[in-house]
């Protein structure tokens, strides 16, 4: 089906219902809204139809605010570093980071550059914000969390969608891993910098695959996959359809951001992304001192030693975080010519006037260094938002390719296909060219060899057979350091090789696969163990006979997880890691990357085989873990009873029903990640699943973890949850006659 055919069922209505006349009084930027209509499918998913592109952007903002006002305001405040004002003291950690890393200021700068260089995209973003502002009051009235927290929505500025985008993705490249590597190098030596390399507690991974037409039942390509993120309530992706005379596109939006950045189907072309695992953010060790002049409030100005050996002025000001139920918190914000200072060393001028760090010296006691963060959007004043409306207008793979040439943040691997047989497999995003050491650890700001030297070309390669992207080494290898183990990618290729007659419905079997290849190195040590008790020998026999599938109803999977937990904890207690076992230093926002136990849990497969720590007696630890697990007994508990979903909620719902149990595990295609050694509960999993059919868009499928509505207790808040938990997908509805028109 060609672009526009599905939207030709009827013309855009200018009706007299409230939805058709939304925002008739105009937005804050003096624009006159066009009419639009809102339709819903049986799952409550919004299908929007407007008379022009700007009217459609306003409609997307308005409906998103009506459905998800709480989520939008939480994300706006997090991006601005003001969430503690209604969420309380626990949010100060994030707010401090948001302010010190200058997320909102970067968004303002990017928006100002967009207004100057690309006024059409700026107007499109403004139209979305006008819609949000038109819908916030009605949306907030639906959600009791506003009254419970005392939060009152306030008008958005045009740069807020950019701030939400930056805040959502600032940790995608995992720069805190450089803090961990520095800690490892101090404890175990520089040769062990990548000892724990794996897909650790990063914010996102993904699966994605593209099957060309010669392997499908229809002769047209199929694109499928699922982004892996921390599961949140409301969900981080919004199913939506956007239709105007210029295009008719459906896909997954990020609430608070216009368009469909990551996953979309225009009718004649479709695209999807995964995290490229590229390294594009740098940490610089800064040497700071108080200058002789005066800065803000009469305080001595702060200076930083620059790469030319000259002391440079450091921008400095203070901000105040308002804290509900607590005292206000004052935050000093410093920025060198490299970037914002996000870690203050003990006693540096950012905390205690007059102190000074020794150039190039790591603190002997293992405390933190003064570190600045350099990240592309702040350097380039560009997020690549021009790609968003261009993707909506795409009719071919070539259109998608051109749109993504200007993409910046985050760096993604892209699959795209069109109805003419076009295929695309490329990387999109901004990765700086610089010294290889920058990718591994914090580097000295005063050394000119660590300066950025332009931008790396983004790789692309032809599609041969089928294309798979699962965060493993591959097309993006030249741009990164740590990648996911190859297990998910290898397993997807194996499953796809089993048929040349793929259909959209058959893709659900790929999504739900639970084979855990990463279990093999641990199980491989069992046959060589000697002097075991009878119970341990019986447990060994059971584990070796296990089919390696983390199925929801498998009791063997539960037993394996218990054995793995015992192994991880014994590794973590080994004296070789003693210097890594203490509480992390530095800002708490980075601590998830700095605790030893989860790092060992995620890196266990490599630690079982690496020669870098010869003093680690692996066999002894595995033997002790087997005995411990056997002594505890082997209850016949299905994996799903202990492997339960635990989504993040800004304000927990005390009356929420129990979250479902799940199959899968970290390295399964059905990647429901626990933290081995710490908990079997899962907070990170598929934030959506999709199947884009290029033969007939109406045969496409999708699902999200909860539902289309962000309001707790509403009919469509959790109506997809049980299907998602079973890896089932719901049909995409494209026939306007099958949709219900509504007013909000």
């Amino acid at each position: 089906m060609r672009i526009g055919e599905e939207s030709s069922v009827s013309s855009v209505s200018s009706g007299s219902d409230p939805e058709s006349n939304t925002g008739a009084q105009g937005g804050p930027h003096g624009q006159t809204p066009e009419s639009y209509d809102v339709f819903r499918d049986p799952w409550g998913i919004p299908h929007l139809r407007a008379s022009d592109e700007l009217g459609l952007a306003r409609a997307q903002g308005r409906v998103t605010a009506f459905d998800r006002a709480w989520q939008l305001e939480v994300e706006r405040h997090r991006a601005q570093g003001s969430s503690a004002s209604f969420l309380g003291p626990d949010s100060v950690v994030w707010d401090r980071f948001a302010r010190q890393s200058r997320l909102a200021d970067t968004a303002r700068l990017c928006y100002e550059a967009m207004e100057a260089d690309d006024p059409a995209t700026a107007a499109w973003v403004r139209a979305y914000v006008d819609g949000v502002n038109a819908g916030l009051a009605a949306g907030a009235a639906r959600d009791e969390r506003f009254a419970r927290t005392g939060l009152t929505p306030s008008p958005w500025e045009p740069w807020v969608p950019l701030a939400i985008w930056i805040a959502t993705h600032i940790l995608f490249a995992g720069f805190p891993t450089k803090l961990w590597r520095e800690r490892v190098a101090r404890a175990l030596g520089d040769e062990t910098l990548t000892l724990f390399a794996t897909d650790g507690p990063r914010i996102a991974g993904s699966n994605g695959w593209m099957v060309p037409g010669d392997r499908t039942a229809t002769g047209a390509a199929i694109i499928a996959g699922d982004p892996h993120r921390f599961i949140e309530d409301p969900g981080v992706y919004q199913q939506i359809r956007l239709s105007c005379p210029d295009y008719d596109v459906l896909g997954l939006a990020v609430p608070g951001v216009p368009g469909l950045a990551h996953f979309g189907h225009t009718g004649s072309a479709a695209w999807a992304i995964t995290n490229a695992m590229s390294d594009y953010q740098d940490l610089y060790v800064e040497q700071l001192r108080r200058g002789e002049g005066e800065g803000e409030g009469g305080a001595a100005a702060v200076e930083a030693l620059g790469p030319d050996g000259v002391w440079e002025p450091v921008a400095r000001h203070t901000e105040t975080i308002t804290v509900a139920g607590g005292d206000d918190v004052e935050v000093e914000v410093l920025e060198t010519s490299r970037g914002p200072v996000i870690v203050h060393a003990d006693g540096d001028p950012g905390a205690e006037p007059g102190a000074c760090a020794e150039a190039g010296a790591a603190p002997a006691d293992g405390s933190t260094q003064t570190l600045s963060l350099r990240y592309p959007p702040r350097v380039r004043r560009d997020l690549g938002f021009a790609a968003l409306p261009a993707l909506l207008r795409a009719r071919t793979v070539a259109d998608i390719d051109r749109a993504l040439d200007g993409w910046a943040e985050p760096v993604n691997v892209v699959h795209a296909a069109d109805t003419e047989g076009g295929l695309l497999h490329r990387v999109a995003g901004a990765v700086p060219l610089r010294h290889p050491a920058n990718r591994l650890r914090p580097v000295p700001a005063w050394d000119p060899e660590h300066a950025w030297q332009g931008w790396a070309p983004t790789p692309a390669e032809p599609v041969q057979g089928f294309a798979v992207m699962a965060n493993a080494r591959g097309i993006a290898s030249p741009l990164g350091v740590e990648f996911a183990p190859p297990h998910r990618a290898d397993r997807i290729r194996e499953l796809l090789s089993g048929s040349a007659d793929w259909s959209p419905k058959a893709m659900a079997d790929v999504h739900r696969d639970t084979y855990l290849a990463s279990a093999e190195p641990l199980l491989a040590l069992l046959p060589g163990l000697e002097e075991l008790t009878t119970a341990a020998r019986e447990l060994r026999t059971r584990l070796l006979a296990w089919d390696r599938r983390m199925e929801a109803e498998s009791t063997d999977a539960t037993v394996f997880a218990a054995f793995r937990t015992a192994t991880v904890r014994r590794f973590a207690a080994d004296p070789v890691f003693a210097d890594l076992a203490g509480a992390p230093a530095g800002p708490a926002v980075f601590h998830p990357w700095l605790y030893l136990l989860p790092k060992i849990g995620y890196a266990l497969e490599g630690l079982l085989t690496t020669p870098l720590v010869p003093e680690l007696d692996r066999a002894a630890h595995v033997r002790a873990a087997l005995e411990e697990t056997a002594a505890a007994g082997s209850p016949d508990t299905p994996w799903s009873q202990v492997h339960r979903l635990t989504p993040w909620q800004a304000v927990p719902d005390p009356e929420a029903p129990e979250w479902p149990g799940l199959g899968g595990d970290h390295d399964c295609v059905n990647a429901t990640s626990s933290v081995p050694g710490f908990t079997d509960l899962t907070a990170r999993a598929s934030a959506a699943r999709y199947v884009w059919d290029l033969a007939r868009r109406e045969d496409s499928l999708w699902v999200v973890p909860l539902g289309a509505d962000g309001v707790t207790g509403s009919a469509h808040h959790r109506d997809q949850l049980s299907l998602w938990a079973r890896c089932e997908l719901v049909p995409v509805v494209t026939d306007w006659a099958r949709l219900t028109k509504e007013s909000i």
Side-chain angles (χ1 to χ4, degrees), residues 182 186 358-367 369:
E182 187 69 24
R186 293 184 198 174
E358 180 184 352
D365 61 357
S367 61
Q369 301 164 303

Side-chain angles (χ1 to χ4, degrees), residues 24 32 104 154 162 165 198 215 265 326 328 368 463 470 487 528 559:
T32 302
S154 56
L162 285 73
W165 189 262
T198 186
R215 290 176 173 266
H265 196 323
D328 289 353
T368 55
V463 177
H487 307 304
V559 172

Side-chain angles (χ1 to χ4, degrees), residues 522 559-571 597 604 625 628-629 675-680:
L522 178 55
V559 172
F560 170 76
F563 169 51
R564 179 178 60 185
T565 288
T567 303
V568 169
R569 290 177 178 172
R570 288 185 176 276
F571 271 46
L597 188 65
L604 180 62
E628 176 187 333
T629 308
V675 184
F678 179 70
T679 181
D680 290 326

Side-chain angles (χ1 to χ4, degrees), residues 85-97:
S85 65
F86 63 99
L87 296 179
D90 288 347
S91 295
V92 170
V93 167
W94 171 265
D95 285 353
R96 184 191 301 275
F97 168 69

Side-chain angles (χ1 to χ4, degrees), residues 533-617:
T533 63
T534 299
R537 288 197 300 271
E538 291 175 351
L539 177 58
R540 174 173 64 181
T541 299
R542 179 178 181 179
L543 288 171
L544 291 175
W546 172 49
D547 61 6
R548 276 59 163 180
R549 293 181 182 274
M550 302 297 285
E551 292 288 341
E553 299 307 314
S554 172
T555 58
D556 289 341
T558 307
V559 172
F560 170 76
F563 169 51
R564 179 178 60 185
T565 288
T567 303
V568 169
R569 290 177 178 172
R570 288 185 176 276
F571 271 46
D574 191 286
V576 71
F577 299 126
D579 290 341
L580 298 172
V589 71
F590 305 132
H591 287 184
W593 283 264
L594 302 176
Y595 280 110
L596 176 63
L597 188 65
K599 296 299 288 189
I600 287 180
Y602 286 121
L604 180 62
E605 184 180 8
L607 292 173
L608 287 166
T609 57
T610 180
L612 292 176
V613 280
E615 60 271 46
L616 183 65
D617 193 340

Side-chain angles (χ1 to χ4, degrees), residues 46 60 187 246 364 406-407 510 516 564 570 590 726 738 741:
Q60 185 183 6
D246 291 330
W407 189 243
V510 180
L516 186 67
R564 179 178 60 185
R570 288 185 176 276
F590 305 132
R726 300 192 300 269
R738 295 175 55 199
K741 186 178 179 181

Side-chain angles (χ1 to χ4, degrees), residues 290 347 349 352-356:
R290 295 285 173 177
E352 298 291 340
C356 179

Side-chain angles (χ1 to χ4, degrees), residues 16-390:
S16 59
D17 63 85
E19 191 55 60
S20 293
N21 292 297
T22 291
Q25 296 179 353
H29 305 100
Q31 297 159 325
T32 302
E34 300 295 330
S35 62
Y36 63 84
D37 293 320
V38 176
F39 297 79
R40 305 273 184 178
D41 68 11
W43 301 97
I45 297 168
H47 295 239
L48 311 181
R49 197 167 58 184
S51 58
D52 68 10
E53 185 176 50
L54 293 183
L56 185 59
R58 283 189 285 275
Q60 185 183 6
R62 170 69 187 271
V63 170
T64 302
F66 184 81
D67 288 355
R68 296 164 178 256
W70 170 257
Q71 181 180 23
L72 293 191
E73 283 293 87
V74 168
E75 294 305 319
R76 176 176 73 85
H77 280 281
R78 281 176 57 81
Q80 295 177 187
S82 55
S83 61
S85 65
F86 63 99
L87 296 179
D90 288 347
S91 295
V92 170
V93 167
W94 171 265
D95 285 353
R96 184 191 301 275
F97 168 69
R99 290 170 184 258
Q100 289 183 330
S101 57
R102 315 219 64 193
L103 303 185
D105 185 67
T106 301
R108 293 186 191 97
L109 293 173
C110 289
Y111 184 78
E112 290 170 0
M114 184 194 304
E115 277 195 306
D117 300 335
D118 186 4
T121 299
W124 180 72
V125 174
R126 281 199 307 274
Y128 180 87
V129 169
D130 287 344
V132 169
N133 287 331
L136 271 177
R142 301 178 62 227
D143 202 314
E144 57 85 23
R145 288 171 289 193
F146 283 92
R148 195 186 339 163
T149 60
L151 176 63
T152 300
S154 56
W156 283 29
E157 294 295 327
W159 49 264
V160 169
L162 285 73
I164 288 176
W165 189 262
I166 295 170
T168 300
H169 297 102
I170 187 66
L171 296 175
F172 257 46
F175 70 81
T177 300
K178 296 177 183 181
L179 302 175
W180 171 254
R181 293 196 200 106
E182 187 69 24
R183 193 177 184 195
V184 171
R186 293 184 198 174
L188 302 176
D190 284 354
E191 68 277 6
T192 64
L193 267 176
T194 58
L195 175 64
F196 294 86
T198 186
D199 181 23
R202 302 182 68 156
I203 296 302
S206 296
N207 295 322
W209 57 93
M210 181 165 61
V211 182
D214 60 357
R215 290 176 173 266
T216 69
T218 63
I222 295 174
I223 299 175
D226 57 313
H228 306 153
R229 298 192 182 210
F230 285 108
I231 304 302
E232 300 181 13
D233 179 10
V236 299
Y237 281 114
Q238 172 195 31
Q239 298 153 300
I240 198 167
R241 182 183 183 185
L242 306 173
S243 179
C244 66
D246 291 330
Y247 50 75
D248 183 347
V249 191
L250 59 86
L252 299 165
V254 174
V257 179
L260 303 166
H262 287 159
F263 310 96
H265 196 323
T266 72
S268 62
W271 69 92
I273 62 93
T274 64
N275 188 338
M277 310 295 279
S278 298
D279 184 272
Y280 52 88
Q281 301 162 329
D282 282 350
L283 292 175
Y284 287 90
V285 182
E286 298 282 358
Q287 183 182 356
L288 305 181
R289 73 176 186 184
R290 295 285 173 177
E292 296 180 356
E294 288 192 353
E296 178 186 333
V302 180
E303 296 178 321
L305 185 60
D308 56 1
V310 175
W311 289 94
E312 306 169 337
V314 173
R316 177 191 178 274
H317 70 276
T318 59
E319 299 181 10
T320 300
I321 300 173
T322 301
V323 183
D327 296 333
D328 289 353
V329 176
E330 187 174 274
V331 177
E332 183 178 47
V333 179
L334 300 173
E335 185 166 11
T336 74
S337 61
R338 269 69 57 197
V341 173
I342 60 168
V343 178
H344 294 278
D346 300 337
D348 77 25
E352 298 291 340
C356 179
E358 180 184 352
D365 61 357
S367 61
T368 55
Q369 301 164 303
T370 299
L371 300 175
S372 63
L373 172 66
R374 188 167 179 83
Y375 59 104
R378 190 153 186 86
V379 173
R380 292 160 57 103
R381 305 292 195 263
D382 179 30
L383 278 175
F385 261 41
L388 300 184

